[in-house]
Amino acid sequence: MASVAIIGGAGYVGLTYAAMLAHRGHQVWGLDVDEAKTAMLSSGQCSIYEPGLEELMRQGLASGRLRFTTSYADAIPDADFVFLCVGTPADQNGRANLQYLACASESLARCLQGHTIVVNKSTVPIGSVNFVERLLERWAPAGTTHAVVSNPEFLREGSAVSDLLNPDRIVLGGTDADALQRVADLYEPLSVPIVATDPRSAELIKYAANAFLATKISFINEIALICERFGADVATVATGIGLDHRIGAAFLNPGIGFGGSCFPKDVRALASMALDAGHESMLLNAVLEINQQMRGLVLDKLEMALDGLSNRTIAVLGLSFKPETDDIREAPSVDLIDGLVAAGARVRLTDPAALRHVANRWCGVDLINDPYAAAMGADALVLVTEWDQYTRLDLNRLANSMRGRVLVDGRRVFTPAAAREAGFHYFGIGHPSGPLLIAEPSYFSSYLSMAAD
Ligand code: UGA
């Protein structure tokens, strides 16, 4: 069994890997500069909302295999492997800020002893294996040796633990074959395909995977907009194309668009890296533009349905960027609420996990735990995050407590028939009842007029 230090061990990716590697029998230090978080984690309290993680972490603590510290001197000297799981936030141009990566590399280098394998786990720009290697060479004590391996993660928030225990593949990038093998061995007894390659290809696999998934979402959202013009139903179109195994059904759910700490940031970063390298990515730019357009679309639907938003009361179901997480980074709800507040609407916001993150963020937004209480007296209801409990709401009860009857379904969760039966005016995305419906496409008209003559 190996000794592993995880830098950024209180963060989302670091903590999940720390708990998983301890679960697999390794001796793990979760190292983080945040004292409050490490103290909390040491006492068995999970600092993030992630199903199954607290239990896994507590098992690790109880077994003595998982410990947390803020000190590099505690965690690094004995480590066979050091995982770099620090944040790489983006600047205004979409470029990753590498300050945390550089700082962690220097701090770990100064504590190295013997031979250590450093694993780049964070989503870091192409070329980062080489960047970290150079920093280690600069700061590591004489006589120590190291290898750096790119080993990107593919976890989804909300299902991180099961994604980690059942990955589709493991990607490893590096030039030291022994180091690649030793990192692969850490994941034993997983039997999944391993893609072992050069560092830059491994780093690009991570960006390309997220960019492709984001492209699928923007693609189906573009089709949703076209469906609205023609009175077609995008959900059925998605089913129809998704059954083609070359396309696949996953990530074809239309709606208000993607958010979170990964897709928007990584697509922007890839486009920006490509531009730096002399290639302007028209596709990635379009993916981002369509995503932004979807947020505006929901606001437009509400405005049109209510004949203006000023002094209207809107109940918003869902704040987190997706269900089963309390993460609100780049959440579509935040843009929507900003738009509603700017237009003079009052907002009654509900979410099962994330409300604590917006306690003082807006004026004119009431935070309400219970969705039925949030809907009470509202002119319109808009669903932004498809939390499971929202899919099971009693639509009759909601409708009867509201002043108006508008329901904008930003995730296509409710069936239009059920919504209408409850008395709602239903507005879905990519739904046949769209207001922009074209009764007779113009390209038929000359033939039809000829036929009529
Ligand atoms: C994403 C990837 O799915 C992970 O593989 C990757 O490891 C992770 O980013 C990362 O880079 O760390 P995550 O951001 O947690 O994971 O969430 P997803 O489940 O991928 O959803 C992202 C966004 O896309 C959400 O806002 C979701 O509502 C939206 N989405 C997803 C759609 O609008 N339609 C879909 O069909 C699927």
Side-chain angles (χ1 to χ4, degrees):
M1 288 297 140
S3 172
V4 185
I6 306 227
I7 304 180
Y12 179 76
V13 171
L15 180 56
T16 315
Y17 272 90
M20 186 278 278
L21 289 168
H23 173 75
R24 293 217 178 279
H26 301 295
Q27 199 63 45
V28 182
W29 274 112
L31 167 62
D32 204 287
V33 288
D34 190 322
E35 277 181 31
K37 278 191 190 163
T38 46
M40 194 176 157
L41 293 167
S42 298
S43 73
Q45 268 181 288
C46 197
S47 49
I48 49 179
Y49 179 97
E50 183 61 42
L53 183 55
E54 188 162 277
E55 200 191 322
L56 202 65
M57 188 191 96
R58 284 190 178 162
Q59 285 168 10
L61 288 169
S63 70
R65 288 195 296 273
L66 178 59
R67 287 172 293 171
F68 294 95
T69 182
T70 53
S71 160
Y72 279 80
D74 282 344
I76 305 297
D78 290 336
D80 304 306
F81 299 88
V82 177
F83 278 48
L84 281 165
C85 299
V86 293
T88 50
D91 67 14
Q92 314 89 299
N93 302 317
R95 284 198 189 93
N97 173 349
L98 297 174
Q99 167 197 349
Y100 302 110
L101 186 70
C103 187
S105 301
E106 178 185 336
S107 305
L108 89 89
R110 289 179 185 279
C111 293
L112 286 176
Q113 283 181 12
H115 182 70
T116 314
I117 296 175
V118 176
V119 180
N120 276 1
K121 194 46 99 175
S122 316
T123 304
V124 284
I126 300 153
S128 289
V129 163
N130 189 244
F131 173 66
V132 172
E133 261 166 3
R134 289 171 67 179
L135 293 173
L136 297 183
E137 273 153 27
R138 166 77 181 79
W139 302 109
T144 59
T145 54
H146 56 261
V148 184
V149 173
S150 165
N151 175 215
E153 56 82 20
F154 301 99
L155 310 179
R156 285 165 303 172
E157 291 187 25
S159 55
V161 173
S162 66
D163 286 352
L164 228 175
L165 297 174
N166 313 288
D168 289 336
R169 77 303 208 184
I170 290 168
V171 174
L172 300 167
T175 48
D176 178 331
D178 177 61
L180 295 189
Q181 186 55 53
R182 289 188 58 205
V183 178
D185 292 345
L186 268 185
Y187 296 103
E188 288 287 331
L190 283 181
S191 79
V192 291
I194 291 187
V195 181
T197 180
D198 63 275
R200 291 186 176 197
S201 300
E203 288 159 348
L204 237 162
I205 286 170
K206 168 67 193 194
Y207 283 103
N210 274 1
F212 184 75
L213 292 170
T215 302
K216 270 190 111 174
I217 299 168
S218 280
F219 173 81
I220 202 63
N221 281 334
E222 175 90 333
I223 297 296
L225 298 177
I226 296 173
C227 282
E228 291 196 0
R229 301 295 202 280
F230 284 94
D233 181 7
V234 72
T236 317
V237 174
T239 306
I241 63 174
L243 284 167
D244 183 329
H245 70 273
R246 296 169 302 173
I247 296 173
F251 279 71
L252 287 180
N253 295 319
I256 190 167
F258 58 78
S261 65
C262 305
F263 284 178
K265 173 170 85 78
D266 292 351
V267 178
R268 276 198 293 268
L270 184 54
S272 152
M273 283 185 286
L275 195 60
D276 272 355
H279 172 73
E280 183 167 8
S281 172
M282 289 188 287
L283 177 64
L284 298 180
N285 292 337
V287 166
L288 292 166
E289 265 175 49
I290 294 166
N291 197 47
Q292 209 49 42
Q293 196 181 5
M294 298 314 288
R295 298 177 182 208
L297 179 79
V298 170
L299 195 65
D300 292 348
K301 281 183 190 277
L302 277 166
E303 187 163 17
M304 188 264 314
L306 294 170
D307 201 16
L309 291 167
S310 178
N311 293 321
R312 302 292 190 182
T313 302
I314 316 292
V316 176
L317 297 178
L319 169 64
S320 58
F321 82 97
K322 68 175 201 175
E324 297 302 334
T325 176
D326 66 345
D327 195 339
I328 64 164
R329 284 174 287 177
E330 305 223 23
S333 59
V334 173
D335 273 1
L336 176 69
I337 296 166
D338 282 345
L340 289 170
V341 169
R346 284 199 65 81
V347 175
R348 296 169 65 79
L349 172 64
T350 188
D351 188 279
L355 291 184
R356 66 196 168 97
H357 297 307
V358 290
N360 298 311
R361 187 168 183 141
W362 294 286
C363 255
V365 177
D366 296 324
L367 309 180
I368 301 167
N369 286 318
D370 176 43
Y372 292 106
M376 212 167 281
D379 296 299
L381 188 64
V382 51
L383 183 133
V384 182
T385 317
E386 67 280 28
W387 283 92
D388 193 43
Q389 48 268 61
Y390 296 164
T391 66
R392 288 181 273 107
L393 286 172
D394 178 343
L395 289 176
N396 284 302
R397 187 174 156 195
L398 286 169
N400 290 334
S401 74
M402 287 171 58
R403 185 164 60 192
R405 287 288 186 281
V406 168
L407 170 56
V408 178
D409 186 352
R411 296 283 182 188
R412 299 265 319 216
V413 159
F414 304 110
T415 65
R420 289 198 187 109
E421 209 168 290
F424 277 112
H425 301 297
Y426 177 85
F427 300 86
I429 287 181
H431 187 264
S433 64
L436 301 165
L437 204 64
I438 289 185
E440 195 65 77
S442 60
Y443 40 76
F444 291 128
S445 52
S446 58
Y447 300 94
L448 288 171
S449 59
M450 268 193 293
D453 287 344

Coordinates of all heavy atoms in Angstrom, one line a residue, residues 67-68 160 195 263 336 340:
R67 N -6.0 11.2 7.1 CA -5.7 12.3 8.1 C -5.7 13.6 7.3 O -5.4 13.6 6.1 CB -4.4 12.1 8.8 CG -4.4 11.0 9.8 CD -3.1 10.7 10.4 NE -2.2 10.1 9.4 CZ -0.9 9.9 9.5 NH1 -0.3 10.2 10.7 NH2 -0.2 9.4 8.6
F68 N -5.9 14.7 8.0 CA -5.9 16.0 7.3 C -4.9 16.9 8.1 O -4.7 16.9 9.3 CB -7.3 16.7 7.4 CG -8.3 15.9 6.5 CD1 -9.1 15.0 7.1 CD2 -8.4 16.1 5.2 CE1 -10.0 14.2 6.4 CE2 -9.3 15.4 4.4 CZ -10.1 14.5 5.0
A160 N -20.0 11.9 -7.5 CA -18.5 11.8 -7.5 C -18.1 10.5 -7.0 O -17.2 9.9 -7.5 CB -17.9 13.0 -6.8
V195 N -5.8 4.6 -20.7 CA -5.2 5.3 -21.9 C -3.9 6.0 -21.4 O -3.9 6.9 -20.6 CB -6.1 6.4 -22.4 CG1 -5.5 7.1 -23.6 CG2 -7.5 5.8 -22.7
F263 N -17.7 22.9 -17.0 CA -18.0 23.1 -18.4 C -17.8 24.6 -18.9 O -17.0 24.8 -19.9 CB -19.4 22.7 -18.8 CG -19.7 21.2 -18.9 CD1 -20.9 20.7 -19.1 CD2 -18.6 20.3 -18.7 CE1 -21.2 19.4 -19.2 CE2 -18.8 19.0 -18.7 CZ -20.1 18.5 -19.0
L336 N -30.5 34.1 -14.2 CA -31.9 34.4 -14.3 C -32.4 35.3 -13.2 O -33.1 36.3 -13.5 CB -32.6 33.0 -14.2 CG -34.2 33.1 -14.2 CD1 -34.7 33.6 -15.6 CD2 -34.8 31.8 -13.9
L340 N -34.2 38.9 -13.4 CA -35.5 39.2 -12.8 C -35.5 40.4 -11.9 O -36.3 41.3 -12.0 CB -36.0 37.9 -12.0 CG -36.4 36.7 -12.9 CD1 -36.6 35.5 -12.0 CD2 -37.7 37.0 -13.7

